[in-house]
Amino acid sequence: MMTHTLLMPLDMHLHLRDGVMLENVAPLTAYSFSGAIVMPNLIPPVSSLEDVIAYKERIIAAVPNDYFEPYMTLFYKNYDRAFLESVMDEITAIKLYPAGITTNSEGGVSSFDIEEMRPTLEAMSDLNIPLCVHGETDGFVMDREAEFMSIYELLASNFPELKIIMEHITTKEAVEMLDKFDNLYATITVHHLLLTLDDVVGGMMMPHNFCKPIAKRPEDLDALLSVALEAHPKVMFGSDSAPHPQDKKESCGCAAGVFTAPIALQLLCEIFEQYNKLDNLQAFISDNAQNIYGICPEFKEVTLEKRTFVIPQKYGNVVPMYAGQAINWAIESVD
């Protein structure tokens, strides 16, 4: 059997939710990943030192038998420098959401007024706190990310020392931005390396493939593959795995989010092997993130084997991407 080993896999964009859902999904990531950047868009959002500490404690309690480091984030507000200094040792980044653009983002930024944001972003630059951004406008759904590029340019040019992560990029325009500014980086999901809009609504509606930002055109998929497969040093894996109960996905008003946490490594092996780029997967899944964020995860070795694996129909009450389908790689061991 063909095998492939990955060291210290990292998921640099993950939704763990809270309560019963947290207890269900957190162990699935902790089993095969050394750590993950955990998103703060709970209800209410994670926006204080006390919130960060309490949420981290709940995550660790949910995964007591696996080494797993939750890298915590704050929900972006116009924080003052004193507050940022008080919380900087407990967080890895701050996550900015445009108001109302995705799940639980109603308290996000409604106006990208640079002067209003300047005190916070300059303090973040000085304190070396990265800014993670959900980069979409409220325009036509297929154009929202491309339209946001001008805001990335505004942020990157006004705050050249601020490390800005373009989260879950989906377009060729975002890929082109990577080399325009030294301080712009990006995460890419596994589902955006596999899906176009046709896979969501091209035939029957596929609710478990529906996410925000929505999957785009074939040329966008090709652009994402071009940088992911080469492990461009400014890109890293971030699953954006976003669990919702089955009844919230299979309903009128389908919740946005694709659940890939327990199958991400297997799918990535399949993609990178298909293009004869397995040697680059280590950089994409861990090394680049370590360099970009300056983190040193504890040792974890994951060995995957090329054999048929049938994805479960459900994990608890959450339906994964490709539920019930057979894929070509499986996790053999975790040490």
Side-chain angles (χ1 to χ4, degrees), residues 112-115 117-118 121 148-160 164 177 181:
F112 285 86
D113 183 325
I114 288 297
E115 294 313 310
M117 301 172 76
R118 187 174 295 280
L121 297 181
F148 201 87
M149 293 304 111
S150 61
I151 298 176
Y152 278 132
E153 291 184 354
L154 193 65
L155 292 170
S157 59
N158 275 274
F159 307 98
I164 301 169
M177 287 291 289
F181 293 91

Side-chain angles (χ1 to χ4, degrees), residues 195 199-212 242 244-259 319-322:
L195 305 176
D199 299 299
V200 185
V201 293
M204 296 286 285
M205 171 65 182
M206 304 296 287
H208 299 289
N209 290 349
F210 171 61
C211 60
K212 290 184 179 179
H244 292 280
Q246 184 175 5
D247 65 325
K248 299 298 184 183
K249 290 292 292 180
E250 299 175 5
S251 65
C252 179
C254 170
V258 176
F259 184 59
V319 177
M321 180 178 169
Y322 294 163

Side-chain angles (χ1 to χ4, degrees), residues 23 287 333:
E23 294 170 2
D287 298 352
S333 63

Side-chain angles (χ1 to χ4, degrees), residues 21 24-25 28 208 241-246 249 258-260 312-321 323:
M21 183 65 81
N24 178 24
V25 302
L28 299 172
H208 299 289
S241 182
H244 292 280
Q246 184 175 5
K249 290 292 292 180
V258 176
F259 184 59
T260 58
Q313 292 287 350
K314 288 195 286 188
Y315 291 89
N317 67 340
V318 183
V319 177
M321 180 178 169

Side-chain angles (χ1 to χ4, degrees), residues 4-6 225-233 235-237 268-269 271-273 275-288:
H4 189 74
T5 298
L6 296 170
L225 284 167
S226 72
V227 287
L229 293 169
E230 296 301 329
H232 187 298
V235 303
M236 53 196 155
F237 175 66
L268 286 168
C269 273
I271 295 166
F272 277 66
E273 185 210 6
Y275 291 94
N276 297 311
K277 296 292 184 180
L278 264 178
D279 288 346
N280 290 343
L281 182 53
Q282 176 63 38
F284 180 66
I285 199 70
S286 184
D287 298 352
N288 288 355

Side-chain angles (χ1 to χ4, degrees), residues 70-315:
Y71 298 109
M72 305 306 293
T73 62
L74 274 177
F75 193 94
Y76 181 90
K77 296 182 179 180
N78 288 324
Y79 299 110
D80 61 34
R81 185 186 183 97
F83 171 78
L84 293 174
E85 289 176 344
S86 74
V87 76
M88 61 182 291
D89 291 338
E90 298 292 338
I91 64 171
T92 301
I94 292 178
K95 177 64 182 290
L96 186 155
Y97 293 93
I101 207 67
T102 191
T103 304
N104 300 339
S105 63
E106 288 72 21
V109 174
S110 56
S111 171
F112 285 86
D113 183 325
I114 288 297
E115 294 313 310
E116 185 176 315
M117 301 172 76
R118 187 174 295 280
T120 300
L121 297 181
E122 286 186 346
M124 289 175 62
S125 301
D126 294 343
L127 299 172
N128 196 28
I129 301 172
L131 177 70
C132 300
V133 182
H134 182 120
E136 291 190 286
T137 69
D138 60 357
F140 178 67
V141 68
M142 289 292 285
D143 298 332
R144 289 175 182 177
E145 183 173 284
E147 289 175 351
F148 201 87
M149 293 304 111
S150 61
I151 298 176
Y152 278 132
E153 291 184 354
L154 193 65
L155 292 170
S157 59
N158 275 274
F159 307 98
E161 302 304 314
L162 177 65
K163 192 169 289 184
I164 301 169
I165 317 298
M166 301 185 292
E167 294 288 6
H168 44 51
I169 61 172
T170 64
T171 59
K172 58 184 176 58
E173 288 85 358
V175 170
E176 291 165 359
M177 287 291 289
L178 283 168
D179 295 320
K180 290 184 178 180
F181 293 91
D182 290 342
N183 57 331
L184 281 182
Y185 303 84
T187 57
I188 300 176
T189 76
V190 66
H191 54 279
H192 287 123
L193 294 175
L194 290 166
L195 305 176
T196 67
L197 187 60
D198 261 358
D199 299 299
V200 185
V201 293
M204 296 286 285
M205 171 65 182
M206 304 296 287
H208 299 289
N209 290 349
F210 171 61
C211 60
K212 290 184 179 179
I214 198 164
K216 302 297 194 304
R217 302 170 177 84
E219 56 267 33
D220 297 303
L221 174 60
D222 290 343
L224 297 176
L225 284 167
S226 72
V227 287
L229 293 169
E230 296 301 329
H232 187 298
K234 296 180 78 176
V235 303
M236 53 196 155
F237 175 66
S239 70
D240 193 22
S241 182
H244 292 280
Q246 184 175 5
D247 65 325
K248 299 298 184 183
K249 290 292 292 180
E250 299 175 5
S251 65
C252 179
C254 170
V258 176
F259 184 59
T260 58
I263 57 170
L265 295 182
Q266 301 94 306
L267 290 173
L268 286 168
C269 273
E270 190 167 300
I271 295 166
F272 277 66
E273 185 210 6
Q274 176 187 348
Y275 291 94
N276 297 311
K277 296 292 184 180
L278 264 178
D279 288 346
N280 290 343
L281 182 53
Q282 176 63 38
F284 180 66
I285 199 70
S286 184
D287 298 352
N288 288 355
Q290 292 182 55
N291 292 332
I292 292 167
Y293 275 96
I295 55 177
C296 298
E298 290 292 324
F299 184 81
K300 183 176 280 189
E301 181 178 86
V302 182
T303 300
L304 295 104
E305 184 176 68
K306 190 176 181 184
R307 60 177 168 84
T308 300
F309 172 69
V310 178
I311 297 172
Q313 292 287 350
K314 288 195 286 188
Y315 291 89

